[in-house]
Amino acid sequence: MRTSAALAALWAGAVTAMPARPRSCEVVDAPSPDPLPSSFKWVSTGPLVGPKNDDRNIAGIKDPSVVKINGTYHVFASTAKSEGYNMVYFNFTDLYSAGSSPFYYLDQAPLGYGYRAAPQVFYFEPHKLWYLVYQNGNAAYSTNPDISDPSRWTAPEVFYPNGMPQIIADNIGDGYWVDMWVVCDEEADPNKSLCHLFSSDDNGHLYRSQTTRARFPRGMSEPVMALRDDNNKYALWEAACIYRNKGATGSEKYVLIVEAFTVDGHRYFRSWTSSSIDGEWTPLADTEANPFAGESNVVFEQGVSRWTRSISHGEVVRSETDQTMTVDFSEPLEFMYQGVDPNVQTDYNALPWRLALLKEVRE
Ligand SMILES: *[C@@H]1O[C@H](CO)[C@@H](O)[C@H](O)[C@H]1NC(C)=O
Ligand SMILES: *[C@@H]1O[C@H](CO)[C@@H](O)[C@H](O)[C@H]1NC(C)=O
Ligand SMILES: *[C@@H]1O[C@H](CO)[C@@H](O)[C@H](O)[C@H]1NC(C)=O
């Protein structure tokens, strides 16, 4: 493991100038009690986890959802190939040996065969159950009392029993309904507390439904648009994550990240903040020049080539695992993502995506 000083030195050596933080919507930056950086810098590993050389013939490992418990990383990810998607679970303690950890393909569990992708894992405290939320044509979930026993993930159930909600059908155009994300507030009363379900349509819209924590996972409302980009769907594409910023009470209490395309067609993450999960989202680091994570603020570990130009579908590594999706932004983050050799030209589902880790650098 590298020290943060060593990471900072690596970063300083590799990058000459950081872009200034564009924040045109504000005249003055008011002092904030919230421990949130206004710009981010990362050092990336090389590819850590890719498909096994087995009879599955998987092309890419994608869309990681990660919790770290007692030093063990538990990872759920999509398995992609031209024939379709499913998911895999693996765990490891040593990052640089992650590639040799055994895969448990989740189609072996009651969760089953067929289209399932883009998992989000969290522990729903009121039920004392782990939830895996994913897309299967609807917004689906499975549950499991033991994250270490992947054979126990239940058969899929859906959040929207009547199928794709009307507002999504009306706005999706030729996009896809993808990347579901659940986050609940901290209100003590389970009948007042709300759990929200976000999803994207690859057409410039981020949707949000809600139900009470008492009724979760049932009772999801008709979605509303939480964020939209009517000019450029590529700027608000998919892979949204919403985190509670631990300890923050003000306008930066929640952090939203969404994946977008760079002008030359690679992937990066933009970020916003809000005082509430259903509130207005204010830009934080949301440009290609000052992204949450993208080519312009990522350097690679010593000896690692610039193997990917995309910082694509990923998640902050969470050590708090409950439904509030809490992350301590006052400490340097780890972000697991998918990258891909930019020279490979093939069908999108056959791209050789690999998982890697960004380690945040703080001065
Ligand atoms: C972490 O390890 C400690 C000591 O072995 C144990 O008591 C605790 O239950 C573990 N926590 C989790 C979340 O597994
Ligand atoms: C890691 O995953 C395997 C299944 O591949 C499981 O048997 C094992 O218990 C898991 N280890 C931990 C620490 O959760
Ligand atoms: C929540 O509402 C249900 C149904 O109305 C009720 O039975 C329950 O007592 C309420 N719980 C609390 C903590 O108020």
Side-chain angles (χ1 to χ4, degrees), residues 24 72 74 80 93 109 114-115 120 124 132 146 169 245 266 277 279 311 323 361:
S24 51
T72 298
H74 297 263
T93 50
Y115 172 39
Q120 177 204 14
F124 189 68
L132 199 61
D146 181 2
N245 175 9
H266 305 293
I277 301 171
I311 305 296
Q323 69 279 351
V361 178

Side-chain angles (χ1 to χ4, degrees), residues 279-313:
E280 293 282 310
W281 294 101
T282 302
L284 176 67
D286 76 325
T287 64
E288 202 177 318
N290 182 33
F292 175 71
E295 189 170 40
S296 69
N297 68 351
V298 169
V299 301
F300 291 87
E301 285 178 350
Q302 237 146 25
V304 171
S305 69
R306 218 172 70 152
W307 63 279
T308 180
R309 297 192 60 192
S310 279
I311 305 296
S312 182
H313 195 131

Side-chain angles (χ1 to χ4, degrees), residues 72 74 89-91 102-104 147-150:
T72 298
H74 297 263
Y89 163 77
F90 56 92
N91 59 57
F103 276 5
Y104 184 95
I147 196 171
S148 295
D149 185 354

Side-chain angles (χ1 to χ4, degrees), residues 250-268:
S251 62
E252 298 189 339
K253 180 164 181 188
Y254 289 95
V255 177
L256 163 68
I257 63 171
V258 182
E259 186 179 357
F261 283 84
T262 65
V263 289
D264 49 359
H266 305 293
R267 304 294 188 101
Y268 74 108

